[in-house]
Amino acid sequence: MPGMVDTHIHASQYSYAGTALDLPLLQWLNTYTFPVEACYKDLEFARNVYTHVVKRTLRNGTTTACYFATIHTDASLLLGQIANDFGQRALVGKVCMDTNNFVPHYRETPDESHDETNRFISEMLKKKYPLVMPVVTPRFALSCSAALLGHLGEIAKNNHLHIQSHISETKEEVKLVKELFPDYDSYTDVYHKHNLLTDKTVMAHGCHLTDEELKLFREKGASVAHCPNSNISLCSGMLDARRVLNHKVKLGLGTDVAGGYSPSMLDAVRRTLDTSKALTIQDPQYQTLTFEEVFRLATLGGSQALSLDEHTGSFQAGKDFDALRVNTAIVLFFLLLCSPFPFLLSGDDRNIAEVYVAGKRVVPFVETT
Ligand code: GUN
Ligand code: ZN
């Protein structure tokens, strides 16, 4: 089957995945996330976690990952190097944030963030990695001043770069953004007015976006990363994926480690189906997502959401060969009837015999050291 595309994962949060999911988003960020992310100043700590997360996601069939790192430029560059060394296709973002009242040692000034983002991008592009690219990464509107959002929009525009951030994950966040940016039409408009809503933008969550906001997404060609494990684990909301698709907004799936506790895209597939079924329980008229639709979201949909579908996402002639060889011995009977679906629901990394990215076998790993 085609390789899977994780459109939203925090490589830096892998160190505490599966722990600490007892607080709502904003408290969770202040209490657990920011103190951990501050540790990535230490490059050896970063190297250890980043090596583990790249290997773990590759082994679980993620051939393309769109990563958040931390505010630290050198550690973010290291993540790019590690993804390249292991042969994963990746977008890597140095996180930008100049507002943090709870962990003040984990923030930048707008000028630092601007200069370090420029350094990150130029260093990353200098490496000429074939499959790893930088992505402009304002954390979210609550962590960024208007000045910083403006800087980052300019940088993305001048260099035609990808952009990633978070949007409308919880109702509390939406309310605070309204208070902080009273002169804007909506949360989406805050990003739009700073040139951060483009056809190379992927915004995580979007649980509480209005129809007007989804129209703006569609108009600009921006996409949504659906992260159902995180949305349920942090009690943030339930994205109505059908509504996003009906608006013809590009949609991919994300694990959102560590708001989501699983780094596997197989889990994202299952939670997407569960969330859609939960919405059906609430409203029997609801048009539940089908298996085929969710399979597509995990592969081609994800590559479209990241504007990488020219190169990856399916076996169409002319694209790179990003693929999983799934060992189906234990599901052979069902396989005769349908195809990857039993694997998607009840398989795991033990069923993934080989992973290929751009025609090169990257799993099993070839140990180089
Ligand atoms: N919003 C801003 N930062 C984060 C983060 O690290 N995780 C999640 N789930 N939402 C965010
Ligand atoms: Zn996230």
Side-chain angles (χ1 to χ4, degrees), residues 8 10 13 16 25-26 28-29 33-34 37 68 139-140 143 166 169 173 205 230 234 236 256-260:
H8 185 78
H10 296 259
Q13 296 172 17
Y16 68 100
L25 174 69
L26 301 179
W28 176 82
L29 287 171
T33 303
F34 296 152
E37 289 194 12
F68 272 61
R139 177 167 216 122
F140 69 156
S143 292
H166 298 89
E169 183 174 354
E173 169 201 354
H205 307 296
S230 171
L234 296 175
S236 302
D256 194 27
V257 165

Side-chain angles (χ1 to χ4, degrees), residues 193-207:
K193 293 265 165 62
H194 292 101
N195 296 314
L196 290 164
L197 202 71
T198 74
D199 61 2
K200 289 175 88 173
T201 296
V202 58
M203 289 284 169
H205 307 296
C207 301

Side-chain angles (χ1 to χ4, degrees), residues 173-188:
E173 169 201 354
V174 174
K175 182 169 158 278
L176 290 173
V177 170
K178 267 199 189 114
E179 285 168 22
L180 211 58
F181 295 91
D183 300 331
Y184 295 81
D185 295 340
S186 63
Y187 195 162
T188 304

